[in-house]
Amino acid sequence: MHISAFVKTILAIVVFSLLTGCSIDSSKKEKKKLTSPEKEVDLSLQKVLKSRKLVASTDYNSTNYFVYRGEPMGYQYELLKSFAKYLNVKLEIKIINDLDNSFSCLDEDRCDLLAVGLTVTRDRSSLVDFSDPLSETRQMLVQKKPKHWRQMETMDQINRHMLRNPLDLAGKTVHIQKQSSFRDRLSNLSDEIGADIHIVEHPDASVEELIEMVNQGEIEYTVCDEHIALVNQKYYPDIDVQTPISFSQNIAWAVKKGSNALLDTINQWLAEFNHSLTSVYIYDKYFRNTRTINFAKSEYHSVSGSKISPYDKAIKEYSKTIEWDWRLLASLCLLYTSDAADDN
């Protein structure tokens, strides 16, 4: 009887020890797991500095990036050049006019940042990390003025033919660039006015190409950011860009999610740059200076003209020898000469 009780006591002690040991061991493992998490190392800035090269994607249009008389120009291009100089690295530009491809370029580490005048939205913020704002803009409706608007005596007469209240977009068809933030705004506006706005997305057309389609009478309405609208109105006087369909929105650069080191450096640069005379000069150059805006009418403007440089004829001839697109060869030549000029 006493032996049986003794055995039971020993067994109880053994079981208790095993359970306690497991619990302690498990607790230690859990504690180790909590205190030593595996963190992904952020090499975003180190990559740029080590390669001594900043790879940025922008789009090809009359404001962000274009070539005039053999010289690369553009608002985003000049901002990127200034930031690359701040980092003391070379700048490599990737021209991508499709927003899906731009986001893929960033996600797949084929570029370090996007500089395409992106408006900051909640959906986009789930895909990328945005810098501090570069500027602000509103979304503007682009429509064509009445046929004989120049003969009209007052603005009131012109306005009677224009859509001035966003409520009047009910039942209308608006053409926009695919994957742009304009779709979200038009969808929300449709809900707000309680009527359908027919949205047509164009996967292969840029914002400026859609503006030209309005000017040509091929489509009735499109939407673009205000600073782009005001520039385009100067060389398409028959279009109207006076009707806003949104409140002010921030425009910023974007980096891949988790690229905190690069993002912090961009924001440090912006804090100084946004209050500099250089910032004012570059903005005025592309959005207020009539002479720069009129570049778009030149035959040497790469967006609207037919010539890239005075050497086009020779480049076309020799490009056949190596079976390259002459425009690509011309662009490479221009980038090379630009880099050489910067080095000097």
Side-chain angles (χ1 to χ4, degrees):
M1 188 70 177
H2 292 294
I3 294 174
S4 176
F6 177 76
V7 170
K8 287 181 180 179
T9 302
I10 294 298
L11 286 173
I13 292 170
V14 171
V15 170
F16 177 79
S17 298
L18 288 171
L19 290 173
T20 305
C22 288
S23 177
I24 292 171
D25 186 59
S26 176
S27 177
K28 285 181 178 179
K29 287 181 179 177
E30 188 66 23
K31 187 175 181 181
K32 185 177 180 181
K33 193 174 182 181
L34 289 172
T35 56
S36 305
E38 291 185 5
K39 291 184 178 179
E40 187 175 340
V41 180
D42 176 17
L43 301 176
S44 55
L45 179 61
Q46 184 179 336
K47 172 191 169 188
V48 173
L49 297 178
K50 188 175 181 181
S51 66
R52 299 190 60 78
K53 180 173 67 176
L54 175 70
V55 183
S57 173
T58 189
D59 48 355
Y60 179 72
N61 54 42
S62 64
T63 53
N64 285 349
Y65 180 89
F66 59 90
V67 177
Y68 179 74
R69 288 190 174 275
E71 180 185 354
M73 298 179 69
Y75 177 65
Q76 295 291 345
Y77 175 68
E78 292 208 30
L79 293 185
L80 289 167
K81 274 181 53 175
S82 182
F83 180 55
K85 184 177 180 181
Y86 174 81
L87 295 177
N88 194 28
V89 299
K90 287 187 175 295
L91 173 64
E92 179 181 315
I93 296 288
K94 285 184 179 289
I95 303 299
I96 304 176
N97 272 51
D98 179 276
L99 287 175
D100 279 341
N101 289 337
S102 295
F103 284 113
S104 295
C105 179
L106 196 63
D107 189 55
E108 296 167 4
D109 294 318
R110 290 185 282 116
C111 60
D112 302 307
L113 67 88
L114 299 185
V116 292
L118 285 172
T119 51
V120 180
T121 66
R122 183 169 55 185
D123 287 344
R124 285 175 175 172
S125 295
S126 67
L127 300 174
V128 298
D129 286 335
F130 281 106
S131 69
D132 291 339
L134 296 168
S135 59
E136 290 184 356
T137 192
R138 296 181 296 172
Q139 295 182 17
M140 310 299 288
L141 184 70
V142 181
Q143 55 190 319
K144 194 167 184 179
K145 294 174 182 174
K147 190 172 183 180
H148 302 294
W149 67 273
R150 288 180 177 83
Q151 282 73 51
M152 295 179 182
E153 296 179 358
T154 65
M155 277 301 300
D156 284 342
Q157 287 180 295
I158 296 175
N159 286 335
R160 290 192 200 106
H161 296 268
M162 309 308 301
L163 193 155
R164 290 291 178 235
N165 191 333
L167 291 172
D168 295 330
L169 277 173
K172 299 291 193 298
T173 299
V174 183
H175 298 254
I176 59 172
Q177 184 185 31
K178 186 180 179 184
Q179 291 298 321
S180 67
S181 60
F182 309 137
R183 180 179 182 85
D184 291 339
R185 178 58 198 142
L186 288 169
S187 296
N188 290 336
L189 185 58
S190 181
D191 290 338
E192 291 166 13
I193 65 179
D196 287 336
I197 298 174
H198 306 295
I199 304 169
V200 178
E201 292 186 283
H202 291 252
D204 301 318
S206 68
V207 169
E208 291 191 333
E209 286 171 334
L210 291 170
I211 293 173
E212 185 177 1
M213 290 169 70
V214 171
N215 184 65
Q216 297 294 332
E218 296 174 23
I219 59 176
E220 196 170 4
Y221 303 107
T222 189
V223 177
C224 71
D225 291 325
E226 187 170 21
H227 58 290
I228 302 295
L230 294 175
V231 168
N232 277 268
Q233 189 182 43
K234 285 181 169 61
Y235 49 86
Y236 291 134
D238 289 338
I239 66 169
D240 176 273
V241 293
Q242 303 302 315
T243 304
I245 66 165
S246 78
F247 296 108
S248 293
Q249 296 174 291
N250 287 326
I251 291 180
W253 283 352
V255 299
K256 186 176 180 179
K257 275 286 184 186
S259 300
N260 298 325
L262 178 58
L263 187 64
D264 289 344
T265 305
I266 291 173
N267 289 336
Q268 288 170 13
W269 168 74
L270 277 174
E272 179 181 334
F273 180 80
N274 279 342
H275 295 91
S276 68
L277 290 176
T278 303
S279 172
V280 175
Y281 169 76
I282 294 174
Y283 186 88
D284 287 351
K285 178 180 179 180
Y286 290 102
F287 299 115
R288 291 178 179 159
N289 189 314
T290 304
R291 180 174 175 271
T292 307
I293 292 169
N294 285 338
F295 284 170
K297 297 179 180 178
S298 169
E299 63 180 351
Y300 287 108
H301 193 290
S302 59
V303 175
S304 57
S306 58
K307 296 183 179 180
I308 294 179
S309 75
Y311 314 108
D312 287 354
K313 186 176 180 181
I315 292 173
K316 286 180 182 179
E317 181 180 345
Y318 288 107
S319 66
K320 294 176 183 176
T321 306
I322 59 175
E323 297 182 346
W324 280 28
D325 186 310
W326 75 273
R327 290 163 296 187
L328 174 61
L329 186 59
S331 298
L332 290 172
C333 291
L334 293 170
L335 287 173
Y336 177 80
T337 54
S338 176
D339 286 343
D342 289 342
D343 289 341
N344 293 331

